[in-house]
Structures are given as C-alpha cells and as structure tokens.
C-alpha cells in the first residue's frame, strides 16, 4: 500500500527541470491505477512536467536578472584594498612561486621584471614557533657534498694505495690461495643457477596461468552448453 | 550567486564540499600551488581529526620534501594550519591540521583593514594590513614597518614617530582587536620528560593537545610587553641607492633588541566580527526606522561592549537613565523623545531591542541573537525574492509566518492563482527552500488520507545558503583566474611596456621616444585591457559582497549553536 505514496514522493524535481514521473500503483499494470483521484492533488492532464533529457546546463538561464553590485566609496576602497593586498602578498617572501621551467632564451621582459624582484626580502621564520622537523636541512646537504668530494679524491689519488694493500693481503693469505678461490667459485655458481631457476619457474607459472586463462575464455569444450541446455530443458518441463 | 546555486545541502557537522573547495581556492590565490596542494590533501582526507604528519603529506602531494616543508612553514606562519604533537602518545610524529575558518577569513581581509581604518585611521589600517599580510609579527617590527610606510607617503622632510605608531598599536590591543599568538605546543619529547599528567598514569594515550588552545586561554593575551623603541620612520630611497642602504641597514637592525623578541601578535578576528555584528545591527535599525534610533542602539551597544561576553544572546540590561546620560550631546535627543524611541524600538517586529524590566525608567537590552536571526531571515527572504520573484517570496514569507500550511491554504492566503502557486511551491520545494511534512490520518500513508504540510526551516536553509555562498566565492575566484589566464599575453605585454616606460623616464628620454613606446599597445588591445579590468573589478567586488552575506549567515549559525548549548 505504501507504493502509492512512493509514487507521490517521486514528484521530485531536480534542479528546476522535473524528472520523469513514474507510476507505481499498488496493483501493478494499467495506466489509471491510482487508488485516488489525481485531480484532487491538483495534477491535471496538461500540467504534468516534461521529461528531462540530459544533465542540467552549466550556466542555466535565470528567470530574474541579478541586482547590480553595491557601488560606493566603501566598496571601491575595499576593492582597491583587495587588489593591493593580492599584489603585495605575491611579492612577500611567503609566496612560493610555482616552479617554472627555465626558458632557454632569456626574454627581454625578464630583465625588467628582475629589477622588481630585487625588493624581495628573505624570510627567516622564528623556529621556536615551528616544529623542528620543518627546518631546512642545510647542514646535512653540506656534509653530503663534502663526502662526495672525498670519495672522488679517493678514487683518483689513493687507488694505488688500495691496490698495494690488496696485494699485501693476498701475500699473507698465500698459504691457501687455491682453496679460497674454489670456495668462492662454488659459492658463486649455485647462487647464479638458483636465481636462474627461480626466474624460469616464475616464467613457467605465468605461462601456465595465461594458457589456462586462454583456454577458459576462448576454448569452449561444450560442457557449458550442455548445462545450459539441461536447464532449458528443465525450464520447459515446468511449463 | 544564482549560477552557483546547484544544490549543496550537506552542512550537518562535516564541512561542506563548497566550503572546502573555497578553502583550497583561497589559498591557491594567496600563496601558491604547492601549499594549496598540501592543503587539499589534508583537507580532503578530513578524517575525524583531519590531521596528517609530514610523511603522509609528502606522499600524498607528490612534491619534494623541501617544498612541502616550506609551504607548511608558510601555512603555519599565516595561521592557516596548526600542528600538534603526541596525539598518539609521546614520541609520535607531529601532525598538521588545516584551519578552514582561518582560510575563509582571507576573504574578509579587506573588510578588517577597512574597519581598522575607520576606527584608528591610517596607522591602524597599516598595522592591521601588515599583520594580515605576514600572519604574525612582533610589536617592534610592526611599528617599524608601519612607520616606514607612513613616512614613505608623507611629504619630504616629514616622518612618522615610532611612538605614535606604537600608541595606536597598544590601543588596538586594549580594545582586543589584536592579541598575542598562543605559545606553540611543546614537542612530544619534552612532554614525556616532564610528568604533565601524573594523576592519570593508567591512560597515557589521552590526547593532550587535540583541542587547539584558544589564544584567550592564556593570561597574557592582551598584555603589552615593555618595548624600548625610539626613532622615526625611515624613507626608503629609490632604485640602486635603496638597495645599498638596505644591505647596510639590515645587520644593524638585527643586532638591535627591543625586549619583545618571541612575543608575536595576531589579528583577533572574533573581535572584528563582534564589531561587524554591531555595525550590521545599527545599519539595519537605521534602514528600518531612522537615523536617530540607530544612534540610540549604537550608544547601547557601545555601553555594553565591555560588559557583555562575546557569545551572550543579549546585552546586559541598561536603564533608560543610563542610556540618556551616555548619549552624545550632539544628537539633541530630549528625555521624553528617548523614551518614545525606546518604546518604538521595543514594539518593532524585528525585536532588535527588548525590555528587561521597569526599574530605573525602564531596563532595555539589545537582543543580539534575535537580531542576527532576523537579519538572516531577511537575507533568505531577499534571496528567494531575487531568484524566484516577489510572488514566490510572498509564499515563502507566508510559510515562515504561519509555520505549516497545506497547499490549498497557501494558494488562498498568498492570493496567487492556484496553478501559479503550485508551480512556485514546487520550485521552492525542489530547491530545498521549502520542506514538505507528511501527516497521515491512518498509518498506511494513503495520499487521500494524508495532510501534506509545507514549511520553512530557517536554520537548515541558512546553512544551505551559506554553503552556496562559499561555492559562489570559489566560482568567482576560478573565473577571475580564468580571465587573467586568458589574457596573460596581453597583461604581460602591458607590464613590459610599463617597465620600459619607467626605465626610459628614469633615463631622461625624449617625449617622442616615450610616445613611440606607448603606441606599442594598439587601441584594440587597450580596449581589451580595459574590459578585462572591468571584469576583474566586478568579480573582486562580488567576492567582497558575497562575503558580507557569508558573515551574516555564519554569525547566525554560530549564534544558534551557542544559545542552545
């Protein structure tokens, strides 16, 4: 019985344009199946809204023109303040400029714009007010560069020293040089083989899976059809 | 306004999408893409506390560590983002949270500055402007910058005294328009070392700092530190000389100490809002009744400014005698006329002024919350009127007054032809401005035995309109960005030519040369530029004025929240 009220509630309009009005009368089928007189609700024959097609427009027409904006000294001053504010905010050091891809050729205009940027001041926030983790890590960066330079130096200068050291080490271990070599080789070989095998296995598995997929999706062995036909048969039998 | 009103009705508890979008666009506007990206993620995540730590932000925004750090610094500096640590127990990472309220205040910056100008002159204006632009500053640095700027605008040979500026500053603090920034939350490690909660050792994971402390909760909030400041504003010299001087001056300035390092000041938006509210009430009275009655209400509001708490529903009762004594002499209102005006105000249906008692020649109060509710109602009514016409507005007002009406009754009372009334009613219903209430006679809800009552709920409607306003502002900003992007080339060209002109003039070029350069912009381009300027002015003005509506609706919604609790 509640379905009739549902029908009423379906007279929902979305965004001005009415949606389609579906009739879900209590006892199903038929057109004039309301349990009450629709006229009583004030819905006449011609007053049904049209069906809606497509989404509502991005800039719908308004029935009434908007009233003009207030204009006066206050408004003008506030407008000026707003625009000035925007300008200064962009020149303050707090403004983070979007990352620009540097143009290859320096444009003529940039020379003039640069002159303006000179007024930019550095901003050093009070780190007492901010979490420690936000501090730019300048020190670490320096350390890194230093270490890099060192490694470069080592590679260029001290290679001889290192080689000498290695030679010395080899001499001290001369007692059993072959054995150690063999061991290392043995250790190396199986590892490599294992890795290869694992990879091969992975490939195989993938292949198998794909094959299976292929078979299931493409190759029809007729079993499905049989099952379907069985069901159909059953269905027919019940009729 | 109208175009943006495509149903945005979610407002219960959670922040609406419109509001959130507005936030993102605002920050985008004022700062940068990077920080807005960070903000978007932390706003969009919006799980119960809405807080995120540095690692997640970097992950979500997909930007470099340094950039995220820098933008977080900027956001914190401007108060648009707060951080807290140790929410998940001591030692947990610091979490960052956006304050959408603060971000939305960016829209109102021009209004704050303008209010400061009307109250405290140019000095007040510049103080507020500097503080808003930089988030927070120390007293000494504010005074210096403001004095320098004022000196810049003065005639040659004059300069602004630091003392004068700091006087204005302290006045602003005394009237609570400025306040100290709350001290930053201590790091989690420190909290664990000091036994802050020894009484509750069983629950160590209690969120100690989830609630952001309000600045007012610190006793020194409005206390001015002793500052040693002497000197006058310096004139910034132009071009290259200025640069040299600046470099020479910098270290000197830094080495000076004024005794207020580490004490930062910020603008107290709430106080400004109270001021705006009072002004709104006064202008409403002036529009409804007349100038004299508005002056009486203004006097009442000024008298109770100090005694009334910010969230009070009405001012402390004032006797007619007191009001009479406090009226400025220039108004020339005699005592009997004052009494007449007061009775008139009390009888007015807008109920701005109420009568609290008979003693002392009658005790009167200003109904702050009622006034806000009435102003909000007037706003909603005018929105209906401007969008759907005066006859729809008549139906709307009818429903507001009679609470619940059947369709037939609406048609009769509004004296609108049945068919049109139905149409309007359904349109209002579809826009969620009018609600439908079913009252079944029998439990089966059969339509033939059910009353369908139309009603208007003011608070949800106000909330909905508020969300629409936020969306409107977001759309306005988007449109402005689009317009500037469209004519980027043109703007760059005019900028360039201006720069060239300036440099030529500085170099003492001949007038022929100047006109030649000026003619590089064609007349059509000039027209285009002019049109663009007009469009952008309109969009900016609209932004300012939508914000006035936002302010009114916001105050109303907040006032209902405080009066019920």
């Amino acid at each position: 019985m509640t379905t009739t009220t549902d029908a009423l509630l379906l007279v929902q309009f979305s965004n001005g344009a009415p949606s389609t009005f579906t009739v879900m009368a209590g006892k199903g089928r038929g057109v004039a199946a309301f349990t009450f007189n629709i006229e009583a609700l004030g819905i006449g024959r011609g007053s049904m809204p049209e069906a809606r097609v497509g989404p509502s427009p991005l800039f719908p027409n308004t029935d009434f023109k908007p009233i003009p904006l207030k204009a006066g000294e206050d408004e003008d001053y506030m407008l000026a303040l707003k625009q000035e504010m925007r300008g200064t905010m962009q020149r303050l050091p707090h403004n983070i400029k979007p990352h620009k891809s540097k143009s290859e050729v320096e444009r003529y205009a940039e020379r003039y714009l640069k002159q303006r940027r000179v007024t930019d001041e550095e901003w050093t926030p009070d780190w007492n007010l901010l979490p420690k983790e936000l501090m730019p890590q300048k020190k670490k960066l320096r350390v890194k560069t230093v270490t890099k330079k060192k490694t470069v130096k080592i590679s260029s200068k001290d290679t001889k020293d290192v080689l000498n050291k290695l030679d010395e080490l080899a001499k001290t271990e001369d007692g059993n040089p072959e054995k150690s070599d063999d061991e290392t080789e043995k250790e190396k070989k199986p590892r490599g083989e294992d890795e290869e095998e694992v990879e091969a296995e992975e490939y195989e598995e993938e292949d198998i899976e794909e094959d299976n997929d292929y078979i299931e999706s493409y190759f029809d062995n007729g079993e499905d059809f049989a099952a379907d036909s069985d069901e159909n048969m059953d269905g027919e039998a019940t009729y | 306004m109208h175009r943006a009103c495509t149903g945005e009705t979610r407002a219960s508890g959670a922040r609406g999408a419109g509001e959130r979008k507005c936030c993102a666009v605002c920050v985008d506007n004022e700062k940068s893409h990077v920080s807005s990206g960070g903000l978007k993620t932390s706003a969009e995540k919006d799980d119960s506390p809405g807080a995120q730590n540095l690692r997640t932000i970097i992950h979500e925004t997909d930007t470099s560590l340094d950039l995220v750090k820098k933008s977080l610094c900027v956001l914190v500096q401007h108060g648009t983002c707060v951080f807290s640590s140790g929410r998940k127990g001591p030692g947990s990472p610091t979490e960052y949270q956006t304050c959408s309220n603060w971000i939305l205040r960016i829209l109102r910056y021009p209004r704050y500055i303008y209010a400061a100008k009307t109250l405290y002159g140019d000095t007040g204006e510049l103080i507020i402007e500097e503080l808003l632009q930089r988030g927070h500053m120390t007293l000494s640095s504010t005074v210096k910058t403001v004095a320098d700027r004022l000196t810049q605008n003065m005639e040659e040979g004059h300069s602004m005294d630091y003392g004068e500026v700091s006087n204005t500053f302290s006045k602003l603090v005394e009237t609570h328009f400025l306040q100290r920034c709350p001290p930053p939350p201590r790091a989690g490690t420190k909290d664990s070392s000091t036994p802050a909660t020894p009484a509750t050792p069983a629950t160590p994971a209690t969120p100690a700092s989830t609630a952001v402390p309000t600045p007012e909760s610190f006793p020194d909030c409005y206390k001015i530190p002793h500052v040693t400041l002497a000197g006058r504003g310096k004139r910034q010299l132009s071009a290259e000389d200025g640069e040299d001087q600046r470099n020479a001056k910098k270290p000197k300035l830094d080495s000076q100490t004024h005794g207020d390092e580490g004490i930062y000041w910020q603008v107290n938006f709430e106080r400004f809002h109270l001021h705006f509210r009072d002004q709104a009430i006064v202008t409403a009275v002036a529009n409804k009744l007349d100038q004299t009655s508005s002056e009486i209400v203004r006097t009442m509001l000024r008298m109770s400014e100090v005694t009334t708490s910010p969230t009070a529903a009405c001012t402390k009762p004032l006797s007619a005698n007191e009001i009479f004594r406090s009226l400025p002499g220039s108004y020339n209102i005699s005592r009997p006329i004052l009494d007449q005006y007061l009775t008139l105000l009390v009888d007015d249906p807008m109920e701005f002024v109420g009568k609290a008692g008979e003693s002392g020649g009658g005790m009167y109060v200003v109904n702050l919350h009622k006034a806000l509710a009435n102003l909000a109602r007037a706003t909603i009514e005018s929105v209906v009127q401007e969008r759907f016409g005066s006859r729809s507005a008549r139906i709307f007002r009818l429903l507001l007054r009679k609470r619940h009406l059947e369709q037939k009754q609406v048609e009769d009372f509004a004296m609108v032809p049945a068919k049109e009334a139905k149409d309007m009613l359904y349109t209002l219903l579809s826009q969620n401005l009018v609600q439908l209430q079913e009252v079944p006679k029998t439990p089966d809800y059969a339509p033939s035995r059910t009353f369908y009552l139309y009603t208007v709920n003011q608070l949800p409607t106000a909330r909905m309109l508020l969300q629409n306003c936020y969306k409107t502002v977001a759309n306005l900003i988007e449109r402005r960005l689009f317009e500037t992007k469209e004519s980027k080339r043109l703007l760059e060209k005019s900028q360039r030519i201006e720069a060239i002109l300036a440099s030529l003039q500085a170099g003492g070029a001949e007038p022929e040369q100047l006109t030649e350069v000026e003619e590089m912009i064609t007349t059509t381009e000039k027209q285009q530029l002019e049109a663009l300027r007009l469009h952008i002015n309109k969009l900016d003005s609209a932004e300012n004025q939508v914000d006035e509506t936002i302010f009114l609706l916001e105050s109303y919604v907040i006032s209902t929240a405080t009066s019920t609790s």
Side-chain angles (χ1 to χ4, degrees):
Chain A
M1 282 303 281
T2 51
T3 45
T4 41
T5 48
D6 286 348
L8 222 204
L9 289 176
L10 275 170
V11 197
Q12 288 276 337
F13 303 87
S14 50
N15 214 3
S19 59
T20 45
F21 181 76
T22 43
V23 178
M24 296 172 65
K27 273 150 199 166
R29 297 158 261 143
V31 185
F34 284 111
T35 53
F36 59 95
N37 191 8
I38 328 175
E39 315 272 305
L41 285 176
I43 302 172
R45 201 152 278 274
S47 66
M48 286 293 276
E50 282 169 33
R52 185 172 161 200
V53 185
S56 43
L58 192 56
F59 296 110
N61 288 324
T62 44
D63 298 336
F64 298 90
K65 283 262 172 282
I67 46 169
L69 292 167
K70 270 192 284 178
E73 230 172 82
D74 297 3
E75 277 73 23
D76 288 346
Y77 195 80
M78 293 230 270
L79 172 68
L81 274 177
K82 191 180 181 67
Q83 290 176 343
E84 196 191 309
M85 188 97 188
R86 195 157 59 224
T88 40
M89 286 284 250
Q90 273 163 6
R91 259 183 284 124
L92 280 178
H94 309 301
N95 183 33
I96 303 169
K97 275 134 199 142
H99 192 71
K100 268 186 196 167
S101 55
K102 262 203 171 175
S103 52
E104 285 159 20
V105 187
E106 195 202 18
R107 283 163 66 198
Y108 189 54
E110 279 167 18
R111 244 184 275 167
Y112 291 100
L113 292 177
K114 260 184 202 165
Q115 284 186 345
R116 259 191 220 175
R117 296 231 173 106
V118 169
T119 51
D120 281 14
E121 46 196 311
E122 280 294 305
W123 173 49
T124 41
D126 187 345
W127 292 111
N128 290 328
L129 300 178
L130 295 165
K132 292 282 173 294
E133 62 178 8
L134 292 186
M135 290 257 264
Q137 292 168 321
K138 276 179 186 165
K139 281 176 191 170
K140 273 192 181 175
L141 279 174
R142 263 179 219 157
V143 169
K144 267 183 191 171
T145 49
V146 169
T147 48
K148 263 186 188 173
K149 277 175 190 169
K150 269 184 184 171
T151 52
V152 171
K153 277 174 189 170
I154 285 167
S155 60
S156 58
K157 270 186 184 178
D158 302 359
T159 36
K160 280 181 184 176
D161 293 28
V162 174
L163 280 172
N164 285 342
K165 262 192 182 175
L166 281 171
D167 282 343
E168 281 174 25
L169 282 170
K171 278 172 190 170
T172 52
E173 285 178 10
D174 260 347
N176 42 10
E178 289 169 28
K179 202 183 173 185
S180 62
D181 275 9
D182 277 9
E183 274 181 350
T184 48
E185 274 179 14
K186 272 180 188 174
E187 277 175 327
K188 270 182 188 173
K189 262 198 178 177
R191 260 190 211 164
E193 279 173 7
D194 276 1
E195 278 173 0
E196 278 173 9
E197 277 175 12
V198 167
E199 278 174 3
E201 275 175 13
E202 279 174 4
Y203 280 125
E204 276 174 17
E205 277 176 10
E206 279 173 14
D207 281 357
I208 290 162
E209 275 176 40
E210 277 174 25
D211 280 355
N212 281 350
D213 286 349
Y214 180 74
I215 290 165
E216 273 182 8
S217 60
Y218 189 73
F219 187 70
D220 190 5
N221 57 5
E223 279 177 19
D224 291 341
F225 177 71
D228 275 359
S229 63
D230 269 0
E231 277 173 17
N232 284 351
M233 291 279 276
D234 289 345
E236 278 172 358
T238 49
Y239 262 93
Chain B
M1 148 115 237
H2 304 174
R3 283 179 179 167
C5 295
T6 46
E8 192 67 48
T9 49
R10 298 191 306 128
S12 58
R15 279 175 261 151
E19 189 177 337
R20 214 177 302 158
K21 193 180 172 204
C22 185
C23 288
V25 180
C26 276
V27 170
D28 208 21
N29 186 23
E30 301 296 346
K31 275 143 214 141
S32 71
H33 283 282
V34 188
S35 42
S36 90
L39 178 101
K40 257 177 227 162
T41 44
S42 53
E44 269 161 23
K45 278 281 152 183
D46 213 11
D47 43 18
S48 52
Q52 282 194 316
N53 57 31
L54 187 60
R55 191 177 292 274
T56 12
I57 296 173
I58 292 166
H59 181 70
E60 298 275 342
T61 49
D62 212 13
T63 37
S64 73
L65 175 70
D66 285 342
L67 216 50
V68 170
K69 277 183 182 175
K70 200 177 169 196
S71 34
L72 274 174
C73 282
V74 170
L75 288 174
V76 172
Q77 166 87 13
H78 284 266
T80 45
C81 171
V82 289
F83 61 91
S84 58
S85 57
R87 186 170 63 89
K88 290 169 185 162
S92 68
T94 312
E95 286 184 324
Y96 302 88
Q97 197 172 354
T98 50
C99 324
S100 56
N101 306 1
W102 274 73
I103 296 163
L104 292 169
R105 292 300 90 85
I106 293 174
L107 293 174
R108 216 163 286 159
Y109 278 7
R111 210 169 157 200
Y112 298 131
I113 299 171
Y114 190 62
K117 187 190 172 67
T118 49
L119 290 172
Y120 294 98
D122 288 346
T123 319
E125 178 191 359
L126 288 185
I127 289 174
I128 298 291
E129 193 178 333
E130 284 295 326
L131 277 170
L132 287 176
Q133 277 169 358
R134 286 160 198 268
H136 56 249
M137 287 169 97
T138 59
L139 198 164
S140 47
S141 60
T142 318
V143 168
K144 266 184 203 161
T145 1
V146 170
D148 287 353
R149 276 184 70 184
L150 282 170
T151 311
Q152 194 78 13
N153 293 337
M154 281 174 162
E155 286 172 44
E156 202 70 42
H158 292 259
S159 62
M160 191 74 193
D161 193 50
Y162 282 159
E164 262 178 73
V165 183
S166 64
N167 259 346
T168 318
F169 194 98
S170 33
K171 264 190 223 154
L172 278 164
V173 175
E174 273 163 31
T175 43
H176 293 201
F177 282 109
L178 296 179
Q179 64 189 17
R180 278 194 198 193
C181 293
R186 293 281 125 239
T189 47
K190 277 185 186 172
D191 273 332
S192 60
S193 62
T194 54
T197 52
T200 53
T203 53
T206 42
S209 55
T210 41
V212 182
T214 54
E216 306 240 352
S217 57
F218 300 99
D220 287 344
C221 183
Y222 299 113
K223 198 171 147 200
I224 294 201
H226 184 69
V227 181
T228 48
L229 255 185
R232 310 182 79 82
K234 288 167 194 74
R235 192 175 297 272
Q236 193 189 358
L237 299 175
S238 57
E240 298 93 46
D241 309 334
E243 200 186 327
D244 293 340
Q245 248 223 336
R246 184 173 280 261
N247 290 342
K249 209 162 54 180
K250 262 262 161 91
K252 225 197 287 172
L253 279 180
D254 287 348
S255 65
Q256 281 179 340
T257 49
H258 303 288
D260 69 335
E261 279 68 31
I263 301 171
Y264 290 96
W265 297 88
Q266 64 185 15
V267 175
N268 184 5
F269 294 138
E270 298 311 316
R271 179 66 185 84
F272 271 103
H273 291 170
L274 293 183
H275 175 69
F276 293 155
R277 180 197 66 190
D278 291 354
Q279 271 196 322
I281 292 173
V282 169
T283 39
V285 172
N287 290 340
K288 185 92 203 300
L289 300 163
D290 70 336
Q291 200 62 36
T292 320
S293 45
S294 82
E295 295 302 341
I296 293 169
V297 174
R298 191 197 298 275
T299 313
M300 288 175 77
L301 285 170
R302 210 184 39 238
M303 285 166 73
S304 53
E305 215 166 38
V306 192
T307 53
T308 314
S309 86
T311 52
C314 55
T315 58
K316 289 261 150 55
L318 296 165
S319 72
N321 284 325
E322 278 178 292
I323 299 170
F324 182 67
R325 254 181 283 130
S326 303
L327 275 176
S330 53
Y331 293 152
N332 282 330
I333 305 170
S334 63
R335 186 61 213 272
I337 290 181
L338 174 70
D339 284 338
Q340 279 178 14
Y341 264 113
L342 282 172
T343 30
L344 207 68
L345 279 165
V346 172
D347 289 342
D348 189 72
M350 287 298 258
E351 298 176 285
F352 288 122
V353 176
K355 199 165 191 179
E358 295 295 340
S359 55
M363 301 292 275
Y364 296 94
V365 292
V366 181
N367 292 320
L368 300 169
H369 282 189
K370 242 181 209 166
L372 280 178
N374 283 329
L375 288 176
R377 201 193 62 223
T379 310
I380 298 169
E381 278 174 12
S382 80
V383 166
V384 173
Q385 175 159 329
E386 296 307 323
R387 268 190 77 187
F388 304 104
S390 53
R391 290 211 281 183
S392 295
R394 194 194 300 166
I395 293 176
F396 190 80
R397 274 195 296 268
L398 187 75
L399 286 171
L400 264 174
R401 188 174 303 170
K402 303 260 182 184
R403 308 256 177 239
H404 293 276
L405 280 183
E406 273 193 278
Q407 188 172 305
K408 186 81 179 58
Q409 288 173 304
V410 172
E411 288 159 9
D412 293 346
F413 284 134
M415 291 189 284
V416 178
K419 201 180 166 196
E420 286 172 46
K422 207 162 52 205
D423 200 29
M424 291 170 189
L425 208 49
Y426 289 170
T427 317
L428 289 176
L429 186 66
S430 71
Q431 296 290 332
N432 255 325
L433 289 162
V434 165
Q435 280 78 33
L436 187 64
Q437 167 82 53
E438 286 179 314
V439 184
K441 272 188 260 187
T442 48
D444 61 357
Y445 282 85
S448 52
R449 290 185 291 278
T450 306
F451 295 112
Y452 292 97
L453 298 176
Y454 291 89
T455 143
V456 173
N457 294 330
Q458 195 182 328
L459 185 57
T461 312
R463 283 215 175 100
M464 184 186 76
L465 285 181
L466 185 58
Q467 290 302 321
N468 282 347
C469 286
Y470 289 137
K471 212 174 169 191
T472 310
V473 173
N475 283 353
L476 284 169
I477 294 173
E478 295 254 37
R479 183 74 203 177
R480 177 161 52 71
L481 294 177
F482 172 78
E483 293 271 347
T484 36
K485 206 179 128 211
E486 282 291 285
S487 42
K488 200 174 163 223
R489 192 197 62 82
L490 206 60
L491 282 171
E492 270 177 7
K493 189 181 173 186
S494 75
Q495 227 173 27
R496 202 159 59 217
I497 284 169
E498 268 168 34
I500 294 171
L501 275 177
S503 66
L504 278 178
Q505 270 172 344
E510 286 165 30
E512 286 166 27
Q513 253 182 313
L514 291 177
T515 47
E516 206 171 289
V517 176
E518 263 173 42
E519 276 163 9
M520 279 165 72
I521 294 186
T522 60
T523 42
T524 45
E525 278 176 335
K526 259 185 197 158
Q527 279 168 1
Q528 278 174 328
L529 275 172
E530 186 58 24
L532 179 73
R533 201 181 58 81
L534 261 178
H535 287 167
I536 289 191
N537 280 354
K538 212 169 194 177
L539 288 169
D540 272 332
S541 246
E543 242 176 80
N544 279 338
Q545 292 181 26
V546 172
D547 185 63
E548 278 177 42
T549 314
I550 290 181
F551 168 71
L552 200 65
L553 293 173
E554 258 178 3
S555 324
Y556 165 59
V557 170
I558 292 168
S559 79
T560 54
T562 50
S563 59
T564 48
S565 63

